[in-house]
Amino acid sequence: NAGVTQTPKFQVLKTGQSMTLQCAQDMNHNSMYWYRQDPGMGLRLIYYSASEGTTDKGEVPNGYNVSRLNKREFSLRLESAAPSQTSVYFCASREGDRWGGTDTQYFGPGTRLTVL
Amino acid sequence: GNSVTQMEGPVTLSEEAFLTINCTYTATGYPSLFWYVQYPGEGLQLLLKATKADDKGSNKGFEATYRKETTSFHLEKGSVQVSDSAVYFCALSRSGAGSYQLTFGKGTKLSVIP
């Protein structure tokens, strides 16, 4: 099992460019999450998906969109990148759905994004 | 709202020293509590967890006890190794709106020197 995989590992964008971060999990988990990690801030939730076909906003959703393509894949899109979106982005998955299940989340290796 | 406060770093210890990283939380109800570890250049790995009061989570020589009366979940290890150098995050999980989202502390960087 690969667990949670993310692509790309690194990306540099110019202000105003768009891109999509990809995430996939092979654990048959129901819930998936996108977090961003900034120095001295811990991790903050951007969006989550508690089941295939549903998505909900987290703490810091502005400037982002997500798609739960199928049960395995959950992508994060930046339509018009800004320097404030320079961060490390982590995807995570959890076995349970919005009605319950274990609450342990498993994380991918991260994507380091720089917006110039 | 939910929040997690953990001791500021960085923390530098000599090999075989005793480690304590303090973590306190604010949450309604009965959250699950976690410690995650992030090694340089890697993602977060679950280190240990506890789901109810007085539970003790343990893994790789690390321990933490869920103390509801003091709203704390301090991480301890009796004898640290150089390989324990990493950033440690305390977190809680609450099923708000069905999200089970994690609320993280800011992280504590540990450096262990030989």
Side-chain angles (χ1 to χ4, degrees), chain B residues 11-53:
Chain B
V11 174
T12 302
L13 295 174
S14 297
E15 206 165 21
E16 299 184 1
F18 185 86
L19 169 70
T20 299
I21 301 178
N22 290 336
C23 172
T24 57
Y25 68 90
T26 301
T28 55
Y30 304 96
S32 294
L33 300 173
F34 304 82
W35 278 100
Y36 280 87
V37 58
Q38 184 178 30
Y39 297 103
E42 298 185 10
L44 278 73
Q45 301 177 23
L46 177 66
L47 181 60
L48 54 85
K49 65 180 281 190
T51 58
K52 61 184 186 295

Side-chain angles (χ1 to χ4, degrees), chain B residues 13 16-21 39 47 59-64 74-85 88 110 112:
Chain B
L13 295 174
E16 299 184 1
F18 185 86
L19 169 70
T20 299
I21 301 178
Y39 297 103
L47 181 60
N59 186 27
K60 299 182 181 180
F62 291 90
E63 294 183 340
H74 305 320
L75 183 68
E76 296 182 337
K77 186 176 186 183
S79 176
V80 294
Q81 305 300 313
V82 172
S83 57
D84 294 326
S85 297
Y88 293 81
L110 171 67
V112 180

Side-chain angles (χ1 to χ4, degrees), chain A residues 103-105, chain B residues 2-5 23-36 46-58 64-74 89-94 101-105:
Chain A
D103 48 10
T104 301
Q105 293 185 24
Chain B
N2 300 331
S3 67
V4 174
T5 303
C23 172
T24 57
Y25 68 90
T26 301
T28 55
Y30 304 96
S32 294
L33 300 173
F34 304 82
W35 278 100
Y36 280 87
L46 177 66
L47 181 60
L48 54 85
K49 65 180 281 190
T51 58
K52 61 184 186 295
D54 299 326
D55 266 3
K56 177 185 283 188
S58 61
T65 301
Y66 189 144
R67 302 285 189 199
K68 187 161 179 62
E69 64 275 13
T70 55
T71 61
S72 64
F73 193 55
H74 305 320
F89 292 93
C90 185
L92 67 83
S93 174
R94 282 285 290 138
Q101 71 178 76
L102 290 170
T103 299
F104 287 88

